[in-house]
Amino acid sequence: MTDPKPTAGAAPAATSERPPTPGGGGGSDGGETGPSRRGFILRQVGFAVAGTLAALLAVGALAGIWLLNYVERNVNQTAAGTDRETLPGEPMNVLVLGSDSRARLSEKEQATKGGPEDVEGQRSDTIILAHFDPERNKAVLVHFPRDLRVEIPGHGEGKINEAFHLGGPKLMVRTVKRFTGLNIHHYVEVDFVGFEGLVDALGGVRMCVDRPMFDELAELRIPRAGCYRFDGDMSLAFVRARHVEGDLIPDFSRIARQQQFIRALLNKLLSVNSLVRLPSLIRLATDNVTTDDQLSGAEILFLGAKLRELAQQDPTGARTVDLRVVPSVPQDIDGISYVVAEQPEASKLFRALELGKRLRGLGTVQALTSVSPGVIEVWVLDTGNPEAAALAESRLRGAGFIVRGIRKSPSGLRRSAILFRPEGEAWARTVSGFFPDLPQRDARARVLAGADVAVVIGADWGGLSA
């Protein structure tokens, strides 16, 4: 089945021959004996392989040097007031902003998204603290609601995204540092054009949704539930949408969709085909992002290499890339709608990051908002129909779930169902959106094998309707 596209805006086989034996067959006519000749051939093959490997290593080294020089020459940098460099083995905190700047949009794009003259200043649509812990070999991405009420140094209380408008990267870094109590070692900013370009360079991202979605302001138009191939323009609309029917708290629902998209993007980015293109993606990122003036080209390449390493160790991302959100609730203060941090949960989250402790359930669920697929771990249990199980796994992966894989269903489970751990109904409901015909029931931890939910695919499963 070919994924439909939603709208956004208007060598031949090699042969091998055995070399003839000198003298017609390994006799003692003055030629080399069979074993001696074989040893000579093996040595020659060994020299050839070693020479080829040496040449490949040399080419790889030269390519690495070229890429490093390219990054050093072309990366866009700004003074962001970040903290000192980390020492080897220490955690690194990177503040990642998705800017709503229209400055680099084409005239056609500005006609629909607005130009610089239509948007006073610039704000950060997306705010993420990326925490890299080399000791635990783990990355944690913490989303900040853009309406989060914080202390903005020199300006009093306000919404966190206003800090970028009031004082640019430096004030944004100071604001996040004050709120979290963590050092901010680096700063990365991606605007509309950069985001769209990176997605298009990956060949788009396969996304599955459980309902139609429309948001005219974000130019999001998804006509029905199902799977689509999102290009850069469509991806931008999906992660920016704040006025989708059914969303009770727009800021929270958008974060849930952003987490879903990030997980689907990771599923694509961590694939073998995409990893091969990592150098070209790093070059593109260099041209389309802005970093702090302390982030060196070597560190950019290190982060790219670290991503490859995480992918090789855990392709599902279940244990190496964790998605969280600042624990918070909506609240009106003096007639203004804010999001206010829940304490002590928010402080516990950042202290756990600082000390390298387990995060447990901190920041996984948002008030009055469906649990994002991006934080739900799922097994597919196959009762004997591997093709159907593979189809279900593909749907889950495209929907942005953490898919642990397919395994054989226990003998007592033969009928299709969605299984969840006790008190995990909210996680099961999110999965049910993509398998609406399957019944839900709780299950023992042994059956779930460490996941939040398991989808049993039996002979009675009718397949996917869209």
Side-chain angles (χ1 to χ4, degrees):
M1 173 180 173
T2 303
D3 293 333
K5 184 180 184 300
T7 59
T15 59
S16 175
E17 295 184 4
R18 182 177 179 180
T21 304
S28 35
D29 57 350
E32 293 187 45
T33 62
S36 175
R37 176 62 174 170
R38 285 195 296 273
F40 172 76
I41 292 173
L42 288 174
R43 286 195 300 274
Q44 294 299 102
V45 171
F47 291 150
V49 171
T52 301
L53 288 176
L56 290 174
L57 288 173
V59 171
L62 289 173
I65 293 172
W66 178 87
L67 185 58
L68 176 60
N69 289 334
Y70 180 90
V71 172
E72 294 282 10
R73 288 195 311 268
N74 293 280
V75 65
N76 306 304
Q77 294 191 316
T78 185
T82 49
D83 290 296
R84 64 170 176 81
E85 298 288 337
T86 58
L87 297 174
E90 287 186 342
M92 176 192 297
N93 298 316
V94 181
L95 180 60
V96 181
L97 295 189
S99 165
D100 67 356
S101 172
R102 272 81 167 167
R104 294 199 301 148
L105 293 177
S106 67
E107 290 185 5
K108 180 179 179 181
E109 291 171 321
Q110 289 184 16
T112 57
K113 294 183 173 69
E117 68 281 357
D118 300 314
V119 182
E120 182 182 354
Q122 57 179 348
R123 288 179 172 80
S124 45
D125 267 2
T126 302
I127 306 167
I128 299 173
L129 180 66
H131 175 84
F132 299 94
D133 188 340
E135 288 292 328
R136 299 170 63 210
N137 206 31
K138 190 177 185 70
V140 181
L141 308 184
V142 182
H143 273 77
F144 289 68
R146 73 177 214 166
D147 292 339
L148 184 68
R149 183 177 171 89
V150 297
E151 175 71 25
I152 302 175
H155 299 272
E157 298 281 346
K159 297 181 178 181
I160 191 170
N161 75 326
E162 293 175 354
F164 192 51
H165 169 66
L166 292 170
K170 282 187 176 181
L171 186 56
M172 196 69 189
V173 167
R174 290 177 60 199
T175 300
V176 173
K177 182 177 179 179
R178 170 172 290 190
F179 178 78
T180 64
L182 299 173
N183 287 331
I184 306 300
H185 303 106
H186 292 297
Y187 168 87
V188 174
E189 178 187 328
V190 185
D191 63 13
F192 285 1
V193 174
F195 178 85
E196 292 179 353
L198 289 170
V199 173
D200 286 336
L202 275 171
V205 176
R206 182 172 182 263
M207 280 295 303
C208 301
V209 297
D210 59 354
R211 59 190 170 108
M213 293 183 183
F214 297 93
D215 183 343
E216 290 304 318
L217 290 178
E219 299 179 347
L220 177 67
R221 302 181 187 96
I222 302 178
R224 58 175 178 79
C227 295
Y228 300 85
R229 184 70 56 183
F230 280 14
D231 60 11
D233 195 33
M234 193 63 213
S235 297
L236 181 63
F238 184 76
V239 300
R240 292 187 65 236
R242 295 183 77 239
H243 302 88
V244 176
E245 184 178 354
D247 291 352
L248 296 180
I249 305 177
D251 205 7
F252 289 2
S253 295
R254 181 165 72 165
I255 287 177
R257 281 189 289 272
Q258 289 177 352
Q259 290 179 325
Q260 179 184 7
F261 180 83
I262 287 173
R263 187 66 67 183
L265 181 65
L266 286 171
N267 288 341
K268 175 69 178 285
L269 189 59
L270 300 185
S271 68
V272 174
N273 290 338
S274 295
L275 286 173
V276 169
R277 293 154 56 182
L278 191 57
S280 62
L281 292 173
I282 291 176
R283 291 199 305 273
L284 183 67
T286 299
D287 295 333
N288 286 280
V289 304
T290 299
T291 74
D292 65 277
D293 53 8
Q294 301 298 315
L295 185 62
S296 67
E299 285 179 305
I300 294 175
L301 296 184
F302 167 78
L303 292 174
K306 196 65 179 176
L307 178 62
R308 181 190 296 267
E309 181 183 331
L310 293 177
Q312 291 172 339
Q313 293 185 2
D314 181 14
T316 69
R319 298 180 179 86
T320 55
V321 182
D322 199 349
L323 304 181
R324 303 281 170 149
V325 62
V326 176
S328 49
V329 293
Q331 184 176 337
D332 285 343
I333 300 177
D334 297 329
I336 300 175
S337 297
Y338 290 98
V339 171
V340 178
E342 285 189 294
Q343 297 294 358
E345 287 78 8
S347 294
K348 286 181 178 179
L349 173 62
F350 295 115
R351 293 294 74 74
L353 289 177
E354 181 181 25
L355 300 175
K357 293 183 177 180
R358 291 182 60 189
L359 303 182
R360 302 185 183 278
L362 293 169
T364 56
V365 179
Q366 301 179 92
L368 302 176
T369 303
S370 298
V371 182
S372 172
V375 303
I376 301 176
E377 296 186 28
V378 186
W379 275 109
V380 175
L381 302 184
D382 178 17
T383 65
N385 189 346
E387 290 185 2
L391 181 62
E393 183 197 32
S394 176
R395 172 59 58 94
L396 289 165
R397 200 174 296 279
F401 289 93
I402 307 169
V403 185
R404 300 289 290 271
I406 302 173
R407 62 188 182 91
K408 186 177 179 180
S409 177
S411 57
L413 293 174
R414 310 310 301 171
R415 297 188 63 81
S416 302
I418 295 173
L419 309 179
F420 56 91
R421 54 184 171 79
E423 301 180 358
E425 295 93 339
W427 283 258
R429 280 197 297 271
T430 296
V431 176
S432 180
F434 297 88
F435 300 88
D437 297 331
L438 299 189
Q440 305 171 45
R441 63 175 186 270
D442 59 8
R444 296 178 180 178
R446 174 178 54 84
V447 176
L448 298 176
D452 300 304
V453 178
V455 178
V456 183
I457 300 300
D460 59 321
W461 186 47
L464 298 168
S465 59

